[in-house]
Amino acid sequence: YQRRVHGELEFKQRMIIQEESIYNLVPKEDIAQPKKKKYKSKYPADLPPTYSTFCLKTTSIPGVANVPGSYELPCGSHKNEAMNATFGLPKGGAKPNTASFRKKGTGTIKIPEAKKFEYKGDSKRPPIPAKDEKPIMGLVSEKNYIVANAVENILAAPKNVKKEPMRYTQKKNYGKTPNYLKKTKNEIDEEYKLVKEMQIQEEEMKEKEKFLISEEERKQLI
């Protein structure tokens, strides 16, 4: 009902303003609209979002968090902390620094004074020939381009040819014992023969030391 009354008053005021009338001089009464009740959700404001995928890289929760929509989000074995993993600046980060203001002379750009352009060294191009200047005619070259081309191709470096992958099965020594293994085997055989000869000599020396003692020496030992 109040809205309808307020709408009718606004319509009448507009009609009066459109037409010149003495009623326009009368001060109009402001009707305060009733303030609506502030909306307040029945759910807590700090409720973790359901099926959230934010800030899970540093935790032990796989991929999605708070699937059942619980009020309190269970914590894993790792803390949910990551560098700069926030929506915006941290608390107090947007506070202006009172010491970092523009000072006098820091914002102006000093332009050097204009000077006449000058070429450095002999960087000028040769002058354009005059219209009366005639070109040199009758120049003949004695260069033999066929011989020069042949010499250039002979002395030129070879082009980079793509090397085919090596096929070890087609090598000459494929399946054969390498020379270094043969040499090592011969050295081992020589060392084995030397050790065998030394053992034989020791056994011969021991055999020579064996002899029969006399009867008197045997009685003395007994």
Side-chain angles (χ1 to χ4, degrees), residues 196-209:
K196 193 70 176 174
E197 289 177 358
M198 292 175 65
Q199 289 178 353
I200 292 169
Q201 290 177 2
E202 288 180 358
E203 290 177 358
E204 289 178 354
M205 292 292 291
K206 289 179 181 179
E207 289 293 332
K208 289 180 181 180
E209 291 178 356

Side-chain angles (χ1 to χ4, degrees), residues 12 21 28 31 64 72 95-96 115 130 150 174-175 180 210:
K12 289 180 180 179
S21 176
K28 299 174 181 62
I31 300 173
V64 182
E72 294 182 1
K95 187 177 181 181
K115 296 180 181 180
Y174 177 75
Y180 74 93
K210 295 178 181 179

Side-chain angles (χ1 to χ4, degrees), residues 139-198:
L139 293 175
V140 180
S141 176
E142 296 180 356
K143 182 178 179 181
N144 191 345
Y145 290 95
I146 297 173
V147 177
N149 191 14
V151 172
E152 287 179 2
N153 289 326
I154 292 168
L155 299 177
K159 295 181 180 179
N160 293 329
V161 182
K162 291 184 179 179
K163 295 182 179 180
E164 295 182 358
M166 184 181 291
R167 297 183 180 180
Y168 293 94
T169 55
Q170 296 180 357
K171 293 180 71 175
K172 294 181 180 179
N173 57 354
Y174 177 75
K176 297 179 181 179
T177 307
N179 294 328
Y180 74 93
L181 288 178
K182 292 179 180 179
K183 184 179 178 181
T184 306
K185 188 177 180 181
N186 293 333
E187 291 177 356
I188 293 171
D189 291 340
E190 290 177 0
E191 290 180 359
Y192 178 76
K193 289 178 181 179
L194 182 63
V195 172
K196 193 70 176 174
E197 289 177 358
M198 292 175 65

Side-chain angles (χ1 to χ4, degrees), residues 74-128:
C75 296
S77 58
H78 299 283
K79 292 183 179 180
N80 190 6
E81 294 179 358
M83 186 180 294
N84 299 327
T86 58
F87 288 100
L89 298 174
K91 188 175 181 180
K95 187 177 181 181
N97 187 6
T98 56
S100 61
F101 56 89
R102 180 60 63 83
K103 297 180 181 180
K104 182 178 179 181
T106 57
T108 56
I109 301 172
K110 294 182 180 180
I111 301 173
E113 296 181 359
K115 296 180 181 180
K116 186 179 178 181
F117 178 76
E118 294 181 356
Y119 287 97
K120 295 180 180 179
D122 299 334
S123 59
K124 281 188 177 182
R125 294 183 179 180
I128 300 172

Side-chain angles (χ1 to χ4, degrees), residues 23-41:
Y23 291 104
N24 294 338
L25 301 175
V26 179
K28 299 174 181 62
E29 184 180 358
D30 294 334
I31 300 173
Q33 293 184 358
K35 193 174 182 180
K36 296 180 182 180
K37 189 178 179 180
K38 185 179 179 181
Y39 174 78
K40 187 176 181 181
S41 177

